[in-house]
Every structure is written in structure tokens, then in C-alpha cells.
Amino acid sequence: MSRPEQIAEGATEETTEAPKIGSLPAGALDGVRVLDFTRFMQGPYATRIFADLGAEVVKVERPGGEWDRRLRLSPAGFGGFFHSLNRGKRSMAVDITTDEGRELILKLAATCDVVIENFRPGVMERLGLGYEQVRAVNPKVIFAAASGYGPHGPNAAEPMFDMVAQAVSGVSDFNRGTEGEPRLATRGLADTAGGMFLAMAVLTALFVRERTGQGQRVDASLMGAAIGLHTAEVTIALDQNKVFRLGGSRVTSTSGAFKAGDGKWLVIAATDQKLWVHLTAALGRQDLFDDERFAKSRVREKQRDILEPMIEETFLTKSRDEWVKILRANNVPVAPVNSFLDLADDPDALANGYIVEQEDRKWGSVKTVGLPFHLERTPGRVGTVTPELGEDTIEELLIAGLTREQIADLAARGVVEIHSHDNETGEGR
């Protein structure tokens, strides 16, 4: 198979509509339970990956809900930030600062394979919910921390956000602007990479547990993720004692962004001699190919000030889409410079399920990001709903062994919060 099974029939590579999500197939992590204490982006992105892969992820929030639910709302009130990171999860609201709340969480932790948190180091321990406390009730647990600097070092307990990670890792310096000012590579770079590395670490620990029967503590940090994404550049810089920055929109005279005649941009990557042959053929510039000043790549780079204006002038003679078609016909790696809005109509994004449509019970049809990878036998799935705060509190506490009378008493005293549809039906989801 070449795409997730949940994509509706008829979604072809030529489609211009986002595939609609249907029934959820069995996932690779079916049967795995994850207790999720994460907030903001790094941790929730990791746990959303588990939900996409079929795990049962129980998001634990404080009564009243996390700030994330109110972050970057649309004028209509839709929370794209929270929705994108928490789809397909379950939700319960518990005051974990109380003794009763802590006891409830330990009961739930005993039913879970993985516990994930992204508080500052030491916070979960002070709450009585750290690794040793959880391991006492669940010896095989995987206890994962999404941290800032990592578990060790003088700044391990300091607060951290994505932009801070980009600064301390060298990424902001690597992406300096024309005036030498440090710049973010992109919003959420360290957060999403940190989430991916955390998911990778937990999946590795689950694999080890299958082999040995032993759980363990794992950590993935924002700083480590940002550095890890730039492995080659960091290694080269440390070896040569010099940072080789991009210095603009082009890596070389024939690799980077060019403006077409209609004012739109495209990016080409003619990185070697074979591609130089293809590029000059596509551009119809035999004169450039025959010019000794541009015969080899090292020679061309010494003549960038002469060569680049010639190529720029040629690209202005046709529209972007014309050039993309011509360049692809000549085997030159090329792509239009899309905005995020353009992805809604991009044929490859749609055919591969990178952009999908899901039905939300509150907001109707929502376009969102699908899975960035494919598994043939156990395809991932995009959760069909984003949970209302506390909508699964009753069911999760029943799983933990409490009676409905005990749950009602806890709710009346504010230890837990129950969503209204639970109150109306008397049942969990």
C-alpha cells in the first residue's frame, strides 16, 4: 500500500480535495495505554504521535483545563493549536496537587504502559508522581520526560521554550539575518523535533521492554533536538572552527529560490555536474553550458556574481508553473514555493494524506495535518475528535476501580471535573 488505509476510496494522486477520514483501522500501538501530563507543544506532539499510531492516550488536565485550550483561537473560537496536538486522545481533569488526586493518578498509572510529562525536573517528584513513585505501582512502566536542556547539567531545572532552545543550540545564530541579527529557523522547530525524538525514545523503550520485560526512564530535550537536527552543520563547524551559514535564499548559484515571470517563486537544487547539464538544457541556455567560466561547480561558485543574474533573467521569461513543468521534464529537482494555504490543493500532500479532512462533532469539517509516514500493515490514523475537557473522567476512574458514587463525590469536591455530556448520560464515551 502507498497511503494510509483510512483515506477514503477515490482519493487519487490527482485529487484536489483533502482525503476524508473514515473508520479507524487497527494501529501499530493498539493496546498501549499512555498517561499524558504534557502541555504546550513538545510533549503533546509526542503523545499525539502515539494516538495516531493507535495507542489509547489519556490526557490529564487540571480542573478548568490547560491554557493550551485557549491559545491562538480563531475569531469563531476554534483552537487549531490545541486541536492539532490533541486529536484522538481521551481527556480527564484531575487536581493532582491534592492527596486524593495523586492517589487517583497512581491508580491510573498502574493501568498504563507509558507515563509522559514535561514539567520542570523535580516537579512530578514533589507531587508524589515521579518515576520512583509510579514504578512502585507499575514496575514495567516507561516514564518519559520532555525536557528543556536535558536531565543533566547546571541548567537542567531552568524553564525552556522553543525560541530559547533555538538560541542556545546555535540554530538562531546559524539563521542570522542580513544585519547579523539572530533569527528563528521557524516557529516550533525545537518543539516538534523534541516531540519526535521523545516518541522515538519511548518506542525504543517499549521495544526493549518486549525483549527484557523491564521498563525505564527516558528523556528527550528541546536543546538536544535542535542540535540533533543540525548534526552535519554542527560537526563541520566544530571541525573547521567556523560556522558556514546559508547567507541568503541560495545554497549555491544553482540551488535555491528564483523568481519567475509572474512574480511567484520556485526552488531548484542543481547540486552536481549532472544536474548542471539538465538545468542548462531546461533553461535553453547552451551558452552557459559552453562557457568555460561555468564548466565545473567549483569554478561556477567563484563566478556567482556573474552567473546568478543570468539565471535570474532567464527565469523571468516564463511563469512559475511553466518552469516547474519544464524543469521536471528535464529531471531537475524543483518545487513551487508553497504557503501553508497552498497545501490544501497540493496534489502530493493530498494523495499521501499529509493534509486530511476530519469531521469534528463541534466544528464540522476540519482540514488538518495527517501522518508524515506510511505503515503498510498497521497504518496510522487521524483521531476523529479532539476531546472536551474531562469527557472521559468517569470512564477512566471506573477503569481505576472507583464506583460512580465515589466519582460523584470527587466531582462535587472539585478533585475531578466531568464534562457535561457525561453528566447528562451518566456514561463515558
Side-chain angles (χ1 to χ4, degrees):
M1 288 172 57
S2 62
R3 63 193 70 174
E5 286 183 354
Q6 76 267 26
I7 295 175
E9 275 188 47
T12 67
E13 301 208 357
E14 289 75 33
T15 185
T16 57
E17 294 183 0
K20 293 186 182 296
I21 301 305
S23 60
L24 300 181
L29 297 184
D30 273 6
V32 174
R33 271 175 59 85
V34 178
L35 200 55
D36 177 10
F37 292 94
T38 65
R39 304 163 297 158
F40 301 116
M41 193 170 186
Q42 177 194 15
Y45 187 67
T47 53
R48 198 213 75 191
I49 291 173
F50 296 127
D52 286 349
L53 290 173
E56 188 173 68
V57 178
V58 183
K59 184 175 180 66
V60 180
E61 299 177 64
R62 61 189 177 189
E66 297 295 348
W67 180 56
D68 310 31
R69 288 184 177 270
R70 297 172 284 278
L71 184 63
R72 301 181 67 186
L73 301 180
S74 73
F78 176 65
F81 182 88
F82 187 85
H83 176 92
S84 68
L85 296 169
N86 293 284
R87 69 190 186 206
K89 300 180 184 179
R90 297 166 66 79
S91 171
M92 61 183 303
V94 181
D95 186 351
I96 63 175
T97 66
T98 65
D99 290 340
E100 288 175 297
R102 178 184 65 82
E103 291 172 6
L104 294 176
I105 292 303
L106 289 175
K107 286 179 181 290
L108 279 172
T111 73
C112 292
D113 300 280
V114 182
V115 174
I116 300 184
E117 56 93 6
N118 65 344
F119 293 102
R120 286 201 212 179
V123 170
M124 290 290 277
E125 285 73 17
R126 290 196 295 273
L127 291 170
L129 298 171
Y131 175 52
E132 296 301 332
Q133 292 100 328
V134 172
R135 190 171 68 162
V137 301
N138 187 350
K140 294 184 179 181
V141 72
I142 309 299
F143 193 95
S147 67
Y149 288 90
H152 311 296
N155 295 307
E158 291 296 316
M160 172 75 85
F161 283 89
D162 177 83
M163 64 186 67
V164 179
Q166 292 196 41
V168 73
S169 65
V171 174
S172 293
D173 173 76
F174 181 69
N175 288 280
R176 280 185 188 180
T178 55
E179 301 300 320
E181 72 279 11
R183 297 188 304 183
L184 297 181
T186 186
R187 180 184 289 165
L189 175 80
D191 274 330
T192 50
M196 288 188 290
F197 285 129
L198 182 64
M200 187 187 303
V202 171
L203 291 172
T204 301
L206 285 170
F207 178 73
V208 170
R209 192 178 70 178
E210 285 296 306
R211 283 183 161 183
T212 67
Q214 296 180 335
Q216 60 180 298
R217 187 204 307 257
V218 303
D219 179 280
S221 72
L222 293 176
M223 182 181 181
I227 294 173
L229 285 181
H230 294 80
T231 296
E233 294 296 340
V234 172
T235 303
I236 292 169
L238 294 175
D239 174 61
Q240 301 188 34
N241 198 33
K242 178 182 178 181
V243 178
F244 294 88
R245 299 179 179 85
L246 293 178
S249 61
R250 294 178 195 151
V251 178
T252 69
S253 57
T254 57
S255 297
F258 290 88
K259 184 187 288 188
D262 56 359
K264 297 180 180 180
W265 291 80
L266 68 155
V267 165
I268 61 173
T271 54
D272 57 28
Q273 194 63 21
K274 179 180 177 180
L275 288 171
W276 170 244
V277 176
H278 294 325
L279 175 62
T280 51
L283 296 178
R285 294 298 302 265
Q286 182 68 31
D287 59 314
L288 297 182
F289 180 76
D290 292 336
D291 195 318
E292 288 298 323
R293 295 174 299 175
F294 314 133
K296 300 293 182 181
S297 59
R298 289 186 179 182
V299 177
R300 283 196 294 277
E301 290 314 296
K302 293 179 180 179
Q303 305 291 339
R304 285 187 67 165
D305 291 344
I306 300 172
L307 176 59
E308 287 188 54
M310 293 180 177
I311 297 177
E312 291 169 352
E313 181 180 350
T314 303
F315 273 119
L316 292 175
T317 63
K318 299 181 188 297
S319 71
R320 182 191 68 182
D321 292 345
E322 288 178 294
W323 278 123
V324 168
K325 185 176 181 179
I326 292 169
L327 289 160
R328 284 176 174 165
N330 283 272
N331 295 313
V332 178
V334 60
V337 177
N338 281 338
S339 74
F340 292 150
L341 297 178
D342 294 326
L343 295 178
D345 300 310
D346 185 279
D348 294 291
L350 298 177
N352 288 286
Y354 302 146
I355 299 295
V356 297
E357 250 183 73
Q358 60 181 152
E359 292 299 320
D360 185 86
R361 61 191 168 207
K362 182 177 180 181
W363 298 101
S365 182
V366 175
K367 288 183 180 179
T368 188
V369 177
L371 277 71
F373 52 81
H374 298 154
L375 297 172
E376 181 180 2
R377 296 188 182 277
T378 54
R381 61 206 193 184
V382 177
T384 55
V385 296
T386 299
E388 297 290 343
L389 176 66
E391 73 170 70
D392 301 293
T393 298
I394 290 177
E395 188 172 342
E396 287 299 325
L397 293 182
L398 289 173
I399 291 172
L402 277 72
T403 66
R404 291 188 179 277
E405 290 73 21
Q406 290 173 314
I407 296 170
D409 177 64
L410 290 168
R413 292 187 288 111
V415 178
V416 302
E417 184 173 330
I418 299 171
H419 184 58
S420 60
H421 81 250
D422 283 336
N423 289 329
E424 293 166 1
T425 65
E427 299 291 341
R429 188 170 56 188

